[in-house]
Amino acid sequence: MNWPQLLITVATIGSIFGVVTLALNLQYARGGMINFGIVAYFAVGAYTYAIITQPPPKGLDQYAFGLDWPWWAGFLLAGIAALGFAALTGWPTLRLRGEYLALTTFAFAEVFHSFLLNERRIGNGTVGLSNVHRPFGDWGPIEEKYVFAGAAALLLIVTLAAFRQLLASPYGRALDAIRDDEVAAQSSGKPSADMRRQVFLISAVPVGLAGAVYAMFTTLAQPSLFTAEVTFVVWIALVLGGERSVYGAMLGAFGLVFFEEVVRALPFETVRSAQIAASVEHIITGVLFIAVLRYQPFDRIQRKVRAST
Amino acid sequence: MLEITGLHVEFGGLHALNNLDFTVEEGEIVAVIGPNGAGKTTFFNVVSGMVKPTEGRLLFQGRSLLGLDPNKITARGIARTFQNVRLFNNMTVLENVMVSQHCRTRQRILDALLQTRRFRTEEALVRDRGKEVLGFFGTRLTGYRFDQPASVLSYANRRRLEIARAMATSPKLILLDEPVAGMNPVESAELTQLIGKLRDEMGYTIVLIEHDMSVVRDISDRVVVLDHGEAIARGTYAEVSANPQVIEAYLGQTTDGS
Ligand SMILES: Nc1ncnc2c1ncn2[C@@H]1O[C@H](COP(=O)(O)OP(=O)(O)OP(=O)(O)O)[C@@H](O)[C@H]1O
Ligand SMILES: [Mg+2]
């Protein structure tokens, strides 16, 4: 097994999914919103980046739009597009609470997925957009893959810092108050519905940015990358890491990606054994999930750390 | 200050409030009394925007409150406490008070993210003002208590903190729903005195719901008696307590008439 390569991949993909997990943590643990359609915001970021940076169509290309703008424009617009998409989807759904919100966001993401599958002119249908622009290249002696891992990690760190700053501010305090007792928070002057909507919008931005980085990394924006499975992976990461702590959420993301990559990197003699390994991976993820929910090890560690300080 | 006319509230056929007229003048302490289920809390819920009336007018300082969300009503200057104390239990005592000041301060997401100077000075002011408000209750909510989670407080302190939180919104009118419920006689007398100070020193106008008649007698300028959602009597404590209708509806029902 090629460990250095594997660790670099884990660092990159783990950071990307870490960002999405953090956003989910903000929405769920602070805003009380269950978003089962998070993959859609991720996909919007990826497609936006691809469309903004790809060259205009020529020859046999089926897609209709390509702006050929620089990577940073695509990157920023990916965040803005995710924000816009959150505004669009949040407006009708955020009146709903709990499992109803979970169902509608899930439905939204499924609709968006079939839109991507069937719409040829924007996203090139099932084939998707390939050869997505990869900005970094080698930086002097530093190989491209390291630059990439660094960029993804940077996005994660910036997202983490921004969220922490926000949550430590009066704004975060107001969110805590709403989570503790919404009625009392309203009578203390907190516009709880508006603030929940703001959290939904703010947290979509890094998800869109992460989608852009994911598209750069894989050089692809295609529907098969953005199935409900992504949503579930991120949710599992969140639950694994303990929903109450941002570090736990990140740790969960890295742990899960590491596990997946290890299984993927195992050498198999036959197709059959690879298939079995894939199923075993799912089973183990499930068992792990149940075990963590049952024993809540991360919450326990956190409580111990708290108690000792 | 508060002018209410012809207020109706219905819950699926039940008239919780029935053609209620109610006025409060600035600087008054008005007590609302009445038997259980009379509609007292419902009245507070309407004024604070949590229950929408089916009919009626609701003016505060000459402007209608109808259709406003609770947070908007708080911003207009009406704060309240709850019969079954509702604190932010996972936050500290000081945070409980700080958080409710922010309907007065200008908090922006961008300021917080960039930690602007304005943001930092404002945060310090909010903290100081929070301590000042808590200091109103003597030493009961100060010192090491600032950083205790609200959930560990004694029942009486929880009630005090809820009042402090209401004060922190810088209101003009405070609605207190059974502020001394569950307190022993000493605590109750002390809080009664403090409620007087809230009006005399802080200048708040106060409406309180209270079952404890000694409290009502001691601090209210006026008393309004509700029964089955209707105001059956109003006047001073002496007038109201001598009213036969009131004695029948309310005082007659309580076991010891206290
Ligand atoms: N949200 C609601 N839905 C349905 N009925 C309600 C609701 N709120 C109050 N009621 C009913 O309205 C009536 C008045 O209730 P309210 O809580 O205002 O009484 P109260 O005077 O505060 O009584 P207590 O002294 O017990 O606190 C009661 O019959 C109550 O069951
Ligand atoms: Mg009541």
Side-chain angles (χ1 to χ4, degrees), chain B residues 11 14 16 34-43 83 178 211:
Chain B
F11 293 118
L14 174 93
N36 292 117
K40 305 179 297 293
T41 299
T42 303
F43 168 64
Q83 185 167 354
E178 305 196 16
H211 281 294

Side-chain angles (χ1 to χ4, degrees), chain B residues 151-248:
Chain B
S151 56
V152 308
L153 293 181
S154 71
Y155 190 73
N157 270 337
R158 291 169 61 76
R159 285 224 173 267
R160 292 185 187 105
L161 178 56
E162 210 190 13
I163 296 175
R165 191 180 64 192
M167 292 165 67
T169 64
S170 306
K172 298 181 187 97
L173 172 66
I174 298 192
L175 311 174
L176 302 171
D177 198 340
E178 305 196 16
V180 305
M183 290 192 175
N184 68 37
V186 178
E187 291 168 334
S188 161
E190 186 196 336
L191 190 66
T192 308
Q193 230 189 352
L194 274 175
I195 293 172
K197 271 173 68 182
L198 277 180
R199 191 259 312 264
D200 300 340
E201 290 176 15
M202 314 295 287
Y204 302 129
T205 304
I206 293 166
V207 180
L208 78 159
I209 295 172
E210 196 42 76
H211 281 294
D212 186 331
M213 283 308 142
S214 59
V215 174
V216 174
R217 185 189 59 220
D218 289 349
I219 55 167
S220 52
D221 301 318
R222 272 190 318 122
V223 180
V224 176
V225 189
L226 291 189
D227 189 25
H228 298 298
E230 293 181 50
I232 56 166
R234 21 182 127 232
T236 61
Y237 176 78
E239 287 163 6
V240 161
S241 57
N243 184 322
Q245 227 185 329
V246 175
I247 295 169
E248 191 194 322

Side-chain angles (χ1 to χ4, degrees), chain A residues 161-163 165-166 168-171 173-192 194-195 198 202, chain B residues 50 70-71 74 78-80 82 86-91 95 98-103 107 109 112-115 119 123 126-127 165 169:
Chain A
F163 281 3
Q165 190 87 283
L166 190 66
S169 78
Y171 193 84
R173 211 148 51 212
L175 290 179
D176 283 344
I178 292 170
R179 187 184 50 177
D180 264 15
D181 189 326
E182 185 163 353
V183 171
Q186 286 174 338
S187 90
S188 297
K190 300 290 162 283
S192 56
D194 290 352
M195 288 186 67
Q198 286 161 6
I202 294 170
Chain B
M50 288 167 187
N71 60 294
T74 309
I78 301 180
R80 71 170 292 183
F82 296 88
R86 306 185 79 137
L87 294 173
F88 306 128
N89 281 319
N90 295 309
M91 297 167 67
E95 282 171 345
M98 286 172 73
V99 77
S100 62
Q101 288 177 51
H102 292 298
C103 74
Q107 49 174 346
I109 295 171
L113 281 179
L114 303 175
Q115 293 270 334
F119 168 81
E123 178 74 351
V126 165
R127 184 171 291 273
R165 191 180 64 192
T169 64

Side-chain angles (χ1 to χ4, degrees), chain A residues 15-40:
Chain A
S15 295
I16 292 172
F17 281 97
V19 170
V20 185
T21 315
L22 278 182
L24 212 55
N25 179 269
L26 185 65
Q27 290 187 349
Y28 178 61
R30 294 309 191 103
M33 292 170 287
I34 304 178
N35 184 349
F36 269 176
I38 192 87
V39 65

Side-chain angles (χ1 to χ4, degrees), chain A residues 96-127:
Chain A
L96 302 169
R97 303 304 303 277
E99 53 273 39
Y100 296 102
L101 180 61
L103 282 174
T104 33
T105 47
F106 184 72
F108 251 117
E110 287 303 295
V111 169
F112 186 68
H113 188 246
S114 8
F115 169 78
L116 289 180
L117 279 177
N118 295 300
E119 172 55 62
R120 296 232 179 83
R121 293 173 57 75
I122 293 176
N124 206 14
T126 36
V127 183

